[in-house]
Amino acid sequence: MRRILVCLLCLIIGSVATTWAEGRRHVLAVVPILVDQGSVIEHPQKDQVLELLRFNSQGREEYLAERLRKGGRFFDVRLAQGDPGTLFDSLVSGSQLQGGETEERRLYRFAPAGVQQVSETVVAERVLVLILHGEKALQERWDRNRVSYLTTRYNTVFASAFLLDTSGQVLWQYKTDPIRDFLPLQYPNFDDAHYNKSNQVPLVFLKVEGLERYLLEKETSFFNRPSNTPKIYKDWMDDLTAKLQAAMPK
């Protein structure tokens, strides 16, 4: 009788452990933020813009990893190490635009060998790749007084994310909203059109100094705790966390 009770207890414990493990079965590796230097960035100071993105993105993935750990959808969340430029070359094998003009998305392809190396090094079954890339996107932008607007294709930096298995297959893609970009590179100069009495509103590239202020701006809300993570990265990663957790089993 005692042996039967012990066996039953072992079965119950094993069942509970299996259920718990299945609900949180994957270890996730979060790769440092990659910058696609071959993407569409038409800024006259492109090299400086790329360096600005690379420098200010260093270590920002730590905030995302912490958010995902608290979300409880993964057994563990670990940070992959490595130079972002080298990682991009080893992980990304190509890309293409998909969808119509208003729903255009860039889908990256990933090299199985590079993804497998990251997963083996970190000991993870899933790899999350974060990429900043420039595109020409159809967007609507208003003037400061919300009186006039211009809908056209603006040069913009978007933030994408891809959840991969160990073979490099894309299991889930973060869908960035074409209207909600990561970093605007251009704005419509309504004052120029007004003072020159023209119907043609010129597009102007933001100064590198202005782009840097965007990347360093901190959240100012009274209701939020101060964070070392700039608002632009925090907004992206909060949205990414919510969408990824919604796509994962509880």
Side-chain angles (χ1 to χ4, degrees):
M1 183 66 180
R2 182 177 180 182
R3 182 179 297 178
I4 294 173
L5 289 174
V6 170
C7 289
L8 285 173
L9 183 60
C10 289
L11 286 172
I12 292 171
I13 292 173
S15 177
V16 172
T18 300
T19 301
W20 182 82
E22 286 178 353
R24 304 176 58 182
R25 61 189 177 278
H26 296 130
V27 174
L28 177 68
V30 179
V31 174
I33 297 172
L34 310 179
V35 177
D36 185 353
Q37 63 180 14
S39 60
V40 184
I41 295 180
E42 298 179 345
H43 197 286
Q45 295 172 286
K46 177 179 178 178
D47 290 343
Q48 289 179 254
V49 173
L50 289 169
E51 181 56 32
L52 198 65
L53 290 170
R54 285 192 290 262
F55 179 79
N56 286 281
S57 297
Q58 292 179 22
R60 303 301 185 194
E61 65 278 358
E62 294 179 11
Y63 174 82
L64 175 62
E66 185 60 30
R67 288 294 315 275
L68 290 171
R69 287 190 195 104
K70 291 179 179 178
R73 294 293 195 273
F74 296 94
F75 180 76
D76 193 12
V77 180
R78 301 170 184 172
L79 292 169
Q81 304 297 322
D83 172 69
T86 303
L87 283 169
F88 186 94
D89 292 338
S90 65
L91 289 172
V92 178
S93 60
S95 69
Q96 65 185 49
L97 288 173
Q98 291 187 331
E101 190 175 53
T102 59
E103 291 293 331
E104 215 167 47
R105 312 275 185 199
R106 182 163 295 278
L107 177 63
Y108 285 87
R109 299 186 299 277
F110 298 92
V115 176
Q116 188 173 9
Q117 183 177 7
V118 169
S119 65
E120 289 178 353
T121 302
V122 181
V123 190
E125 298 88 6
R126 295 289 183 264
V127 176
L128 186 63
V129 179
L130 313 167
I131 303 178
L132 296 178
H133 53 97
E135 307 292 350
K136 292 291 289 290
L138 185 67
Q139 296 176 315
E140 178 184 284
R141 294 188 182 169
W142 291 76
D143 66 3
R144 288 173 297 161
N145 299 317
R146 303 290 296 179
V147 174
S148 301
Y149 68 90
L150 177 66
T151 301
T152 189
R153 294 180 70 83
Y154 296 90
N155 195 194
T156 301
V157 174
F158 286 98
S160 292
F162 301 86
L163 182 67
L164 314 176
D165 65 13
T166 56
S167 69
Q169 179 182 355
V170 177
L171 303 175
W172 177 84
Q173 178 183 356
Y174 173 68
K175 304 273 189 190
T176 49
D177 187 341
I179 299 175
R180 179 185 177 186
D181 48 33
F182 176 77
L183 181 67
L185 297 178
Q186 290 180 301
Y187 66 92
N189 192 338
F190 290 102
D191 286 344
D192 182 281
H194 171 75
Y195 285 110
N196 283 291
K197 300 186 182 301
S198 171
N199 293 324
Q200 301 298 316
V201 180
L203 300 185
V204 181
F205 282 98
L206 279 77
K207 296 179 181 178
V208 173
E209 297 87 347
L211 295 173
E212 185 174 29
R213 295 185 189 104
Y214 269 92
L215 292 170
L216 294 176
E217 183 182 13
K218 297 294 180 66
E219 198 165 43
T220 57
S221 173
F222 176 79
F223 299 100
N224 292 313
R225 295 170 56 187
S227 172
N228 292 325
T229 304
K231 184 178 185 300
I232 195 170
Y233 291 94
K234 188 174 181 296
D235 287 348
W236 169 29
M237 293 176 181
D238 285 345
D239 188 49
L240 169 56
T241 298
K243 290 179 178 176
L244 178 54
Q245 290 186 164
M248 298 296 295
K250 295 183 179 180

